[in-house]
Structure formats: C-alpha cells, structure tokens
Amino acid sequence: MPSFNRIAVYGHRGWASSAIVDALIASGAPLKVLYRHDSDVSRLPDDLPKVAVDLDDEEALIGALEDVDILISLVGHEGVIKQYNFIRAIPKTNVKLFVPSDLGYRVDEEMATIPVLKAKAEVEKASKDAGIPTTVVLPGNLAESTFDSLLLGIDVGGNRIVYTGDSEHQKMNICTRKYIAAAYAAIFTKTPISQLQNRSIGLSEFIVTGSDVAAALERKHGTPPQIFRASVERVTKEIEARLQKDDVSAISLAYRLPWATGKHLELVGTDVWDVAGYQKTTLDKVVVEGDLEPFKAFPPQFAALMETTFF
Ligand SMILES: NC(=O)c1ccc[n+]([C@@H]2O[C@H](COP(=O)([O-])OP(=O)(O)OC[C@H]3O[C@@H](n4cnc5c(N)ncnc54)[C@H](OP(=O)(O)O)[C@@H]3O)[C@@H](O)[C@H]2O)c1
C-alpha cells in the first residue's frame, strides 16, 4: 500500500475550501492547517495540527512547512497574490509539490481581462518559473454556482435561461463541491508525488449543453423555460464597461464566455482524474430533483444585478 503524503493546507475556511479540508481530514492523511492569525479555526477538530502563520513572515512560513510534502493553497480571491510568499518560501523547504488556489479552468486571453483570474494564472507561472513542481486542479464550473445562483444565466426556480453566444449547443463541464473535495482527497493523499508534479488535473462530474439544461428545466416545471439570448459581443461589451468602473461583478459575466464560445471543455483539459468508486450526480438530480447544496450568498447588490442582466 502506498504511504500517505504529508499535506499542509492554507485557506481552510471558504465555501469550497472547507469541504476539501473536511475530505482531507476524513482521509486520515497527515494534515496540517496553516491559517492567518485572525482566522477562526474553531470548526476544525481539536487534534488536527494547526499553525497560525503570517504569510509575510518568511522564516515563520518556512518553519510551518517543515515535514510537509504537498502544500495545497485554497486561498480566496482577496488573497491570491499572497501566494507569492509560498513561492519564495518553498525552495527553502522540502515541499515537493505546490497546488495553488484555482478551482476553475485555464485562463485564456478573454478571461485574462479579469484581474483575479489573470493573477491566479500568473501565480501558477511564477511558481513553475521558480522551479517548483506545480499542479492545478481544474473542475470547470461548480454545480452550486451554476444552478443555485444566476451566475451562468440559469434560473432554476424562475424557469428561465440565457443562452450566451452558442451556449445552447456548446458543452460546459461541471462538478459539485462534494466531488471536488473527494477528488482532492483521492489525488493528493496517496498518489506518489512524482506522478502528480506539473500537471493540470481536470475534474468532470457531468457535462451539459444549454439545451440539455432547458430540457431539464422543462422536466422540472412541466413547461418550457423562458429563453433569453445574449451575443458574445454584447456580453464582452458589458464586461468591459464593468471593468472600467472597477465593478467586481464583471467576473460573473466572464464565466459565461468559455461556454458561449465552445471552449469550456478544452480549458478544463484532457488530463481528467476520475474519482474511483464515486457515485456522480447528474443534471436531473441537480435540476429536477433539487439535490444540490446551496451556493454561498452574494452581496445583495450583486444578486440584484444578476437578476436583471440579460433576462
Ligand atoms: N469555479 C467555481 O465556480 C468556484 C466557486 C467557488 C470558489 N472557487 C475557487 O475556490 C477557491 C477557494 O474559494 P472559497 O470560496 O472556498 O474561499 P474564500 O471564502 O474566498 O476564502 C478561503 C480562504 O482564503 C483565506 N483568505 C481570504 N483572503 C485572504 C487574504 N487577503 N489573505 C490571506 N488569506 C485570505 C481565508 O482566510 P480566513 O480563514 O483567515 O478568512 C479563507 O480561509 C478560490 O480559488 C475560488 O476562486 C471556484
């Protein structure tokens, strides 16, 4: 039996990250949570090793990474650039693999107009340029953000859908938070690290086209959904206008573009890890049966904007 890798995680408390941390804990792998001093760690088991560390304190960070094989960062958007501290510290440690925070898909030229996505891609490149074996996990879109918010233009409760560009016929790759969490545990706890280094590991729980979603909405409601259309040009203009105003909601529209242009699966990639023995969910379970965990709440202004954009 392969032995466990020793893992450190940073960013334990987020909506997506907390599920991943729970799955890593349940795996029984030697795990250490690194956290910033004012973070709340009360949810974590008492016997789980935890180290408060200021990421700007390189000496402390190097100390916290002692006896660690894999550093998994799950930091949220505000902390993406803090990951340069890891890149500076790792070469002075025995860490053999860095997994920067991503949980999306490859950032192409269009997506790179969104500052936080560009910053994530730059962190990955800087890590590789520093000679650190670096691997990202790319699940595409989360089922919860796709079907329990209006981010992608799908309104399950209201029986409405916006087709952006050609999203009616193009495919989108989707994973639930639970599947991603199970995948992190399956991938990182026991696989020999030499087999994990420098990969872009895609995850795929189910794949849908816009017309698949519309058909599922009809099965749920008994009547066809109200269909709206927005061209790629119109969405791109709207993104540019929001970026000019430093409006962070630009990102929510940008998420629609890879689906609209048929690039979504390509940006998840072909190195797809299938979690052995996992009972994957389906579009019908999620949309028709409503078997889905809630997505995190948006600020009210943001939610109101999503309600009206392109509907
Ligand atoms: N593809 C999708 O649909 C999708 C959906 C959701 C999330 N994601 C991605 O998943 C990853 C994790 O997101 P999340 O929503 O779970 O996380 P989150 O709630 O935004 O934050 C996770 C952790 O980051 C830490 N953090 C936040 N800002 C920081 C800063 N300025 N300095 C240092 N630490 C900071 C927080 O520390 P504290 O504990 O100290 O607060 C928290 O533990 C992100 O890369 C996000 O983009 C993708």
Side-chain angles (χ1 to χ4, degrees):
M1 283 290 283
S3 56
F4 278 125
N5 299 316
R6 298 167 302 175
I7 298 173
V9 173
Y10 183 86
H12 65 284
R13 216 163 56 92
W15 177 83
S17 62
S18 55
I20 295 172
V21 171
D22 288 352
L24 291 170
I25 293 171
S27 75
L31 181 69
K32 189 194 279 193
V33 168
L34 313 183
Y35 65 97
R36 54 180 172 173
H37 288 273
D38 51 357
S39 180
D40 181 356
V41 288
S42 60
R43 200 187 67 84
L44 298 171
D46 288 344
D47 59 353
L48 183 74
K50 309 168 197 73
V51 184
V53 63
D54 174 356
L55 296 188
D56 295 323
D57 180 346
E58 187 170 291
E59 215 174 303
L61 186 53
I62 291 168
L65 292 173
E66 204 184 327
D67 303 329
V68 169
D69 300 313
I70 301 178
L71 171 60
I72 297 178
S73 169
L74 298 167
V75 73
H77 283 181
E78 291 76 26
V80 167
I81 58 166
K82 284 279 178 189
Q83 296 178 108
Y84 285 101
N85 291 302
F86 296 137
I87 296 170
R88 283 186 285 271
I90 288 172
K92 298 167 190 155
T93 69
N94 291 316
V95 170
K96 299 170 194 71
L97 181 66
F98 176 42
V99 185
S101 188
D102 200 308
L103 294 191
Y105 36 81
R106 282 260 155 265
V107 171
D108 64 2
E109 237 172 80
E110 273 163 351
M111 299 300 278
T113 57
I114 304 298
V116 69
L117 299 182
K118 184 164 181 243
K120 280 184 175 182
E122 286 172 349
V123 164
E124 184 189 345
K125 182 173 184 308
S127 181
K128 287 181 173 160
D129 288 349
I132 299 169
T134 306
T135 287
V136 287
V137 179
L138 306 175
N141 277 43
L142 268 92
E144 295 82 356
S145 59
T146 304
F147 298 107
D148 186 42
S149 85
L150 302 179
L151 270 183
L152 274 291
I154 298 168
D155 181 1
V156 173
N159 199 19
R160 301 183 293 172
I161 182 167
V162 180
Y163 289 143
T164 308
D166 192 31
S167 69
E168 180 177 6
H169 305 109
Q170 298 298 337
K171 292 176 177 166
M172 171 166 55
N173 184 77
I174 298 176
C175 293
T176 58
R177 170 171 78 156
K178 268 190 203 156
Y179 185 73
I180 297 169
Y184 264 79
I187 296 168
F188 294 111
T189 55
K190 284 194 169 169
T191 315
I193 294 174
S194 59
Q195 293 176 21
L196 293 175
Q197 291 169 330
N198 299 317
R199 286 173 66 176
S200 298
I201 300 178
L203 302 178
S204 183
E205 195 170 4
F206 60 102
I207 291 172
V208 297
T209 63
S211 59
D212 294 336
V213 176
L217 288 172
E218 184 167 354
R219 285 193 290 281
K220 179 180 177 65
H221 292 280
T223 52
Q226 215 181 337
I227 306 264
F228 299 81
R229 292 184 189 271
S231 67
V232 168
E233 294 69 31
R234 195 169 152 218
V235 175
T236 306
K237 271 197 187 134
E238 184 63 33
I239 293 169
E240 283 165 7
R242 290 185 192 192
L243 282 172
Q244 269 174 11
K245 288 187 275 175
D246 280 332
D247 179 344
V248 289
S249 72
I251 193 171
S252 60
L253 296 179
Y255 286 139
R256 299 183 189 188
L257 291 180
W259 186 23
T261 55
K263 286 198 219 156
H264 202 261
L265 267 57
E266 181 192 320
L267 296 176
V268 169
T270 51
D271 181 7
V272 175
W273 188 293
D274 219 34
V275 182
Y278 191 98
Q279 181 83 41
K280 292 181 177 182
T281 194
T282 62
L283 177 64
D284 268 36
K285 273 195 194 138
V286 166
V287 170
V288 183
E289 296 169 30
D291 183 7
L292 185 70
E293 291 181 330
F295 189 51
K296 62 180 167 189
F298 288 124
Q301 281 158 287
F302 196 95
L305 202 62
M306 300 306 303
E307 273 288 336
T308 49
T309 308
F310 302 129
F311 281 121

